[in-house]
Amino acid sequence: MELEPGREALVRVAVATLWTDPGATRPVDRPALAVPSDTDGWITGMDATQRVGDCVLSQLLLGERVLVTAVPPGGWAEVVAVEQAAPRRDPRGYPGWLPAAQLAPAPPTRDRRTPDGDPPAPLVVDAVSTDLRAAPGGPVALSGVVLGTRLPALGPAVGGWRPVRVPGRPDPLWVPEVDVAGLPAVAPSADDVLAVAARLRDVAYVWGGLSGHGIDCSGLVHLAWRRFGVPLPRDADDQAAVTTPVPAGEERPGDLYFFARPGRGIHHVGLVTAGSGPRMLHACYRQQRVLAEPLPPDRVATLVGAHRV
């Protein structure tokens, strides 16, 4: 099967980077464009300036759905990331470009079921990163699969390993059972979400990043809630639009602080943490990592409100 405009496809690499345009990529981006992608190698190979290049829009995780909108010659696909809401950009999802080789056509619905005819039970990666193997305890077949990735389970555990379906591969791969969890049947608490975000402390700041290899401020919020199956929008301004404002002084740990300069739109978001005075956990552009800290004076000056999911 080939990619076709108007049809869905699935990400077949551990992390796929969504680009503004194929021509915007740089020599330093080659590891992110490969199959399999090497997101960790890409990020560690960039300096601080390159990590905030505006050629990157977002990232997509293994198995994530996209709507293919164009497949011109040259090895690229124009897509809409339908699992990352971005209503200010496209009502269907986040638009951008991916290397076509990082996608696999989505199979018909009937082919996505187990031999018993049931949809595969969804698992979600709960480790910051894990490797999928060709057999239980066997050689690594796909490395660097990250927190929040959904993996359709294809059967019970065998010796501490779960068989899962991976796009573009006819046979199941195997994930350590300790690295995955089921999606919860009820909404998570804010404390649960904050605990997941805190596990990404000291991860590098990368504009458009959405993984434990590198992440940005709204990506941290999106990914922490996504771990529990809650689909918040991808960008901070859209996250503010779908959450509920909280009166000043009534925010609780796990709520969101939003920031904007006078006369401009929201440009930053962080998760409220406990402690005296306003504190937050956030992916900080200035310090180039995820950290928890009291709000410095310039952040207090641009704080436009707290919201609750």
Side-chain angles (χ1 to χ4, degrees):
M1 296 176 63
E2 296 183 353
L3 301 179
E4 295 182 20
R7 300 190 65 174
E8 286 195 348
L10 305 175
V11 173
R12 61 184 294 257
V13 295
V15 179
T17 300
L18 189 70
W19 306 89
T20 57
D21 183 84
T25 60
R26 308 155 295 182
V28 73
D29 299 323
R30 288 194 185 103
L33 304 173
V35 178
S37 58
D38 180 8
T39 304
D40 188 54
W42 172 57
I43 291 171
T44 58
M46 291 190 290
D47 60 30
T49 300
Q50 291 167 328
R51 290 178 182 176
V52 294
D54 58 7
C55 55
V56 174
L57 293 169
S58 186
Q59 291 185 311
L60 286 71
L61 310 186
L62 176 68
E64 190 166 340
R65 295 182 301 118
V66 301
L67 174 65
V68 178
T69 56
V71 191
W76 286 80
E78 188 177 26
V79 303
V80 175
V82 298
E83 297 182 48
Q84 297 186 28
R88 299 171 196 269
R89 295 174 180 264
D90 190 310
R92 299 170 296 178
Y94 218 115
W97 291 81
L98 293 173
Q102 294 185 345
L103 296 171
T109 302
R110 65 179 182 274
D111 294 340
R112 304 181 205 178
R113 297 183 177 272
T114 66
D116 295 330
D118 299 320
L123 297 174
V124 62
V125 173
D126 191 46
V128 173
S129 180
T130 190
D131 296 334
L132 306 186
R133 297 179 183 265
V140 173
L142 186 61
S143 63
V145 176
V146 299
L147 177 74
T149 300
R150 293 189 191 181
L151 299 170
L154 295 180
V158 176
W161 298 81
R162 293 293 301 269
V164 295
R165 175 174 293 155
V166 175
R169 294 176 182 260
D171 299 320
L173 297 184
W174 297 79
V175 62
E177 189 174 23
V178 297
D179 287 348
V180 292
L183 287 171
V186 297
S189 70
D191 286 339
D192 292 335
V193 175
L194 183 58
V196 167
R199 289 163 54 196
L200 298 176
R201 191 174 301 187
D202 292 326
V203 166
Y205 181 95
V206 176
W207 180 268
L210 194 63
S211 81
H213 301 299
I215 203 161
D216 66 12
C217 65
S218 57
L220 179 66
V221 171
H222 173 93
L223 188 62
W225 282 94
R226 179 175 176 158
R227 155 61 184 88
F228 297 97
V230 178
L232 281 190
R234 174 60 178 86
D235 290 341
D237 52 354
D238 293 320
Q239 291 171 355
V242 301
T243 50
T244 303
V246 176
E250 296 185 15
E251 61 268 27
R252 302 194 300 250
D255 290 341
L256 305 177
Y257 280 139
F258 289 100
F259 302 85
R261 298 180 182 90
R264 304 185 66 177
I266 289 170
H267 69 271
H268 191 63
V269 60
L271 294 102
V272 178
T273 59
S276 59
R279 298 178 59 89
M280 70 175 173
L281 175 74
H282 65 135
C284 181
Y285 165 82
R286 297 165 188 165
Q287 299 196 44
Q288 291 295 301
R289 61 188 176 91
V290 177
L291 75 160
E293 63 175 354
L295 268 61
D298 60 327
R299 292 289 190 198
V300 173
T302 57
L303 177 63
V304 293
H307 288 212
R308 186 162 297 153
V309 177

